[in-house]
Each structure stands twice: as structure tokens, then as C-alpha cells.
Amino acid sequence: MNPETEFREGLDQLAAHYHDILTLLGENPDREGLQKTPMRVAKAMQVLTRGYAMDAHQVLTDALFKEDYSQMVIVKDIDFFSLCEHHMLPFYGKVHVAYIPNGYITGLSKIARVVDIYSHRLQVQERMTLQIRQCIQDTLKPLGVMVVIEAKHMCMQMRGVEKQNSITTTSEFCGAFNQAKTRQEFMNLLHSESKKI
């Protein structure tokens, strides 16, 4: 399914609701500039929540390879955009994932796909961090997994406290990452300057 061209059930109903929302906000949804807005917003919302129609575990198992490598695998600086479930405003930033294989590895792009799936749902950053970690742990059964997310929240920047420069960091870990030394190794590698390839 291509989320930019194929849409889920309920698209017309969603557009009708956005038509009503524009009216309730004091706008005229029938004026020239807004006539197509309800359908545009409905399509955009289906794209932004396409993660509900995807299985993150399946993405990993579709690219599962037997491998004896048992050192840390890190995929860092995975860009993401999500919508907070409290105000349906965007939050965005970077996800960093590390896992230590236990006989199996997955395609590196699949880690980014897992992030994409969970971020394309109504979310809170804390739950998203946990879901990514749990998915990798349950599917790959590695020796350990650690996930760190750094994000800016538009609900803090545009409304409420209106603090534009605050960054929220969350982390989740299990297995070998319960050891402070292993976590520190990950954090050191995370913040080291990458050499140009």
C-alpha cells in the first residue's frame, strides 16, 4: 500500500468532519480557498497515521538473517515526525537504536522502518520509545536493546508554556544494557563525531 495514493476506509467521513470543524472554528468551508481543504486534511491525517495499518514485527522478520556477530549494532539519527495524542500537534526529532545480536540480525533499514511505523500513530514520546524497544526485543531476541529519542514538541512551542528550545529525551533498555558500562559505551558512540564516509 502506498500511503500517498491509497487511502483507508472512512476518508469521506473524515473529510466531512473536517468540513464541520472549519465551520465550528468560524470559517466558511465553502469559500474558494477552503473548498478542498477538508479532503486534503483527511488524506494528510491518514498518511500521518498510516502506522496503524502496518505490522512492525513483520517488517523485522521479513529481513531476518542468521549471523554470529555479537557486538553492538547502532543505527542513529533516524529522523521521525509524529503527532502527540493530547493535542494532535507534531513532535519530531531523532531516534537512536542499539542492539546486541544473539544469532540473528535484521536489515539496517528495517530498524528505521520500525521507527516509522510507531511514529505514524497518535503517540506520546515515552510510549513510542518503549514500543520500538519491545518490538526489536520480541522479534530479534537479541542480548539487549537500547532506544534513545530526542524530540521537540510543538504543543510546548506553539501553546501552553511556549518554550521553543526545549528538547525532551527518553530512553528504554533491556538485557545487556542493564549494565551501566554497556549503556555508557552506547552513549559514547552516540555522541562521537562520525567520520565522513
Side-chain angles (χ1 to χ4, degrees):
M1 181 178 119
N2 181 348
E4 295 291 348
T5 56
E6 299 174 40
F7 297 95
R8 307 193 300 275
E9 282 187 42
L11 185 66
D12 290 332
Q13 291 170 283
L14 199 54
H17 285 299
Y18 279 115
H19 185 278
D20 292 342
I21 287 169
L22 287 171
T23 302
L24 291 168
L25 291 174
E27 262 293 357
N28 173 13
D30 297 316
R31 71 175 172 83
E32 185 181 4
L34 290 176
Q35 285 175 0
K36 295 182 179 178
T37 296
M39 182 55 75
R40 287 190 190 110
V41 176
K43 288 179 177 180
M45 289 304 293
Q46 282 208 355
V47 170
L48 294 172
T49 60
R50 66 181 181 257
Y52 289 120
M54 298 173 160
D55 184 344
H57 296 273
Q58 189 64 48
V59 164
L60 291 179
T61 55
D62 282 349
L64 200 59
F65 309 104
K66 189 163 181 56
E67 192 62 55
D68 289 332
Y69 186 81
S70 59
Q71 299 301 313
M72 200 179 297
V73 176
I74 299 173
V75 183
K76 67 179 186 176
D77 294 330
I78 303 168
D79 291 313
F80 82 92
F81 299 88
S82 191
L83 293 174
C84 86
E85 66 182 36
H86 299 142
H87 303 98
M88 290 180 69
L89 288 172
F91 68 100
Y92 60 95
K94 305 276 188 188
V95 179
H96 317 288
V97 177
Y99 75 97
I100 301 173
N102 186 20
Y104 290 91
I105 60 170
T106 189
L108 297 177
S109 67
K110 304 307 178 186
I111 300 291
R113 291 268 295 148
V114 167
V115 170
D116 190 55
I117 289 169
Y118 286 116
S119 64
H120 281 81
R121 299 176 182 186
L122 298 183
Q123 277 290 9
V124 294
Q125 184 175 334
E126 297 88 342
R127 183 195 309 127
M128 191 172 95
T129 311
L130 174 62
Q131 287 175 330
I132 295 167
R133 196 273 298 160
Q134 280 181 327
C135 178
I136 295 167
Q137 180 66 33
D138 294 347
T139 310
L140 299 183
K141 302 193 181 338
L143 299 175
V145 182
M146 186 163 178
V147 177
V148 173
I149 299 181
E150 300 169 303
K152 288 191 169 189
H153 292 250
M154 297 303 283
C155 59
M156 285 183 67
Q157 294 177 307
M158 295 175 66
R159 55 161 300 283
V161 294
E162 295 185 12
K163 300 302 178 193
Q164 279 71 41
N165 297 310
S166 64
I167 296 174
T168 301
T169 302
T170 51
S171 68
E172 261 290 330
F173 52 86
C174 65
F177 289 95
N178 285 319
Q179 299 174 15
K181 182 179 177 183
T182 310
R183 287 198 307 276
Q184 189 58 53
E185 180 185 350
F186 172 49
M187 297 308 287
N188 289 343
L189 289 168
L190 195 61
H191 296 297
S192 65
E193 288 295 323
S194 300
K195 293 181 180 177
K196 290 183 180 177
I197 298 175

